[in-house]
Amino acid sequence: MIKKIDLVLDIAGVIASNFSPIYWEDLSSKFEVTYEELIKFRKEVRDELWTGKITEQEFWERLIERFPTIDGSYAKKNYYLSLNPCLRLKNSYCGVCMQISTY
């Protein structure tokens, strides 16, 4: 039986745009944290997160530690809902995604 592995390569938001301004605006308005403070946080952790220096779990922990009024479950759920696939990926085979067969 052939086992297939899906491999998705995402180079700097080519497949999904990450951390939309709308996401941060929503957190700001719901949890009484200034938008500017959230953007500053995003800039501080962005490189560490995208390069794997910190895990996704560490990112969420830092967010909640820095902004204790934010509900972590809400923030995480809405982040996943806010991911926007690139237009080309939504409309056709993007060329960046590929399926690899292993034997």
Side-chain angles (χ1 to χ4, degrees), residues 13-56:
V14 172
I15 294 174
S17 58
N18 302 303
F19 291 124
S20 150
I22 294 168
Y23 172 76
W24 298 107
E25 289 167 1
D26 178 58
L27 289 184
S28 174
S29 67
K30 287 203 180 343
F31 299 105
E32 299 179 9
V33 176
T34 69
Y35 177 76
E36 292 75 19
E37 289 177 284
L38 289 168
I39 296 305
K40 181 180 177 188
F41 170 79
R42 182 196 71 186
K43 289 178 182 177
E44 290 171 6
V45 299
R46 180 181 160 95
D47 287 340
E48 289 180 295
L49 180 60
W50 299 143
T51 59
K53 290 179 182 166
I54 64 170
T55 66
E56 180 185 352

Side-chain angles (χ1 to χ4, degrees), residues 59-78:
F59 165 78
W60 295 116
E61 289 169 2
R62 285 187 189 187
L63 178 71
I64 302 312
E65 182 179 317
R66 178 96 162 256
F67 306 103
T69 61
I70 292 178
D71 177 315
S73 296
Y74 176 90
K76 191 181 285 191
K77 178 182 135 195
N78 280 5

Side-chain angles (χ1 to χ4, degrees), residues 77-96:
K77 178 182 135 195
N78 280 5
Y79 168 69
Y80 292 119
L81 292 173
S82 75
L83 289 176
N84 297 312
C86 73
L87 182 59
R88 216 166 153 205
L89 182 62
K90 283 199 282 192
N91 295 329
S92 66
Y93 179 74
C94 190
V96 178

Side-chain angles (χ1 to χ4, degrees), residues 4-15:
K4 293 185 178 190
I5 299 172
D6 291 328
L7 173 65
V8 178
L9 304 174
D10 186 10
I11 303 169
V14 172
I15 294 174

